[in-house]
Amino acid sequence: MEDEKKKILVTGASGGIGRAICLAAAKKGYYVIAHYNRGKEKAEETLRLIKDAGGKGELIQFDVLDREGCREKMNALLLSHGALWGIVSNAGINKDQTFAGLEGQDWDSVVHTSLDGFYNVLQPLTLAMCRKKKGRIIAISSVSGITGNRGQTNYSAAKAGLIGACKALAVELASRNITVNAVAPGLIETEMLKDAPVETLLASVPMKRMGKPEDVANLVTFLLSEEAGYITRQVISVNGGII
């Protein structure tokens, strides 16, 4: 790979799916810029694992909700690294509750983290990618954004919004040889599911088991590759067969 292709930014890299994506990408030779906001210790562990595996990378700290702060950090990133080859928009949160009991701040925080985070990080970086006429953008959505889940009106709205954003952006950037895709995980073994009724949820999974973060990461690293250059505007599920 040429030097510029080795540089990718992964938001929400402290643990779970984000960490797995960082490690898988590092093993493929990418220079990984791993983002965190408050989870510094977990992010440092991610970077240590990258280096232990023979990979290269660095940490970057910012709040995806801070638009001006993001712009400053992204501009600094462009100055130090130039146009990135890939951006993985993975930062997201969930605050599950039935709609009747859903507080306004829980709607706002979930929706804004996914959608404002997508805009605040990507918008300052996109023009440089267009000038290079090459690159990969991947957003981590969810099965919830496709099918909707009980108690996740806010999360489903946020993740469905990401899908719409990816489809529109893919059309804009296709002529620049930049692909934009969404990955929609199902039940994946992460902290996000620690309090979920897993046995009940597995009844809807034909494979009758949860996936691993690495299952998502392997797809993301393929979508980052040269071989995925004709795949864009797609939503690809990693969910064990959920319809």
Side-chain angles (χ1 to χ4, degrees):
M1 291 185 292
E2 298 171 15
D3 287 345
E4 69 265 27
K5 295 180 185 177
K6 292 184 178 179
K7 297 170 185 175
I8 67 167
L9 169 65
V10 180
T11 66
S14 296
I17 290 173
R19 174 177 288 177
I21 291 169
C22 290
L23 292 175
K27 290 175 182 177
K28 292 289 186 179
Y30 296 97
Y31 182 93
V32 178
I33 303 163
H35 156 262
Y36 71 98
N37 183 20
R38 290 184 293 271
K40 184 177 180 180
E41 290 186 2
K42 289 184 177 180
E44 289 174 340
E45 176 68 7
T46 296
L47 184 59
R48 184 186 68 77
L49 291 170
I50 287 172
K51 293 183 175 179
D52 286 351
K56 296 180 179 180
E58 65 184 76
L59 298 180
I60 186 170
Q61 188 279 329
F62 57 86
D63 182 352
V64 297
L65 295 178
D66 179 359
R67 183 159 297 163
E68 290 308 312
C70 278
R71 186 168 296 278
E72 290 177 7
K73 286 295 180 87
M74 297 306 99
N75 286 338
L77 203 59
L78 290 172
L79 285 173
S80 58
H81 291 292
L84 300 180
W85 167 253
I87 305 162
V88 182
S89 182
N90 171 68
I93 60 172
N94 72 310
K95 293 188 178 180
D96 296 351
Q97 179 60 269
T98 58
F99 191 67
L102 184 63
E103 298 289 342
Q105 64 265 26
D106 290 342
W107 172 274
D108 290 344
S109 61
V110 170
V111 171
H112 289 316
T113 298
S114 284
L115 299 185
D116 288 13
F118 180 88
Y119 174 85
N120 293 344
V121 172
L122 281 167
Q123 201 278 335
L125 297 173
T126 303
L127 183 58
M129 296 178 79
C130 288
R131 288 171 176 159
K132 285 283 187 180
K133 295 186 177 181
K134 58 183 69 174
R136 304 282 185 263
I137 293 172
I138 301 156
I140 305 302
S141 180
S142 169
V143 64
S144 186
I146 299 173
T147 64
N149 281 334
R150 180 187 298 273
Q152 288 194 321
T153 306
N154 52 355
Y155 189 71
S156 295
K159 294 302 188 178
L162 276 179
I163 289 171
C166 284
K167 285 182 173 288
L169 187 58
V171 176
E172 290 187 21
L173 301 183
S175 65
R176 298 288 182 171
N177 199 33
I178 299 168
T179 66
V180 186
N181 293 289
V183 172
L187 293 175
I188 305 296
E189 294 178 6
T190 65
E191 283 290 308
M192 192 172 283
L193 287 180
K194 66 179 180 180
D195 298 321
V198 173
E199 291 304 317
T200 301
L201 294 172
L202 284 176
S204 65
V205 181
M207 293 191 76
K208 302 301 179 188
R209 65 175 178 84
M210 296 174 67
K212 297 183 180 299
E214 291 76 15
D215 294 322
V216 181
N218 290 336
L219 172 59
V220 172
T221 54
F222 172 69
L223 291 174
L224 284 168
S225 71
E226 287 278 8
E227 288 78 7
Y230 200 57
I231 301 172
T232 195
R233 209 185 182 199
Q234 301 305 304
V235 184
I236 306 176
S237 296
V238 184
N239 64 21
I242 297 174
I243 298 174

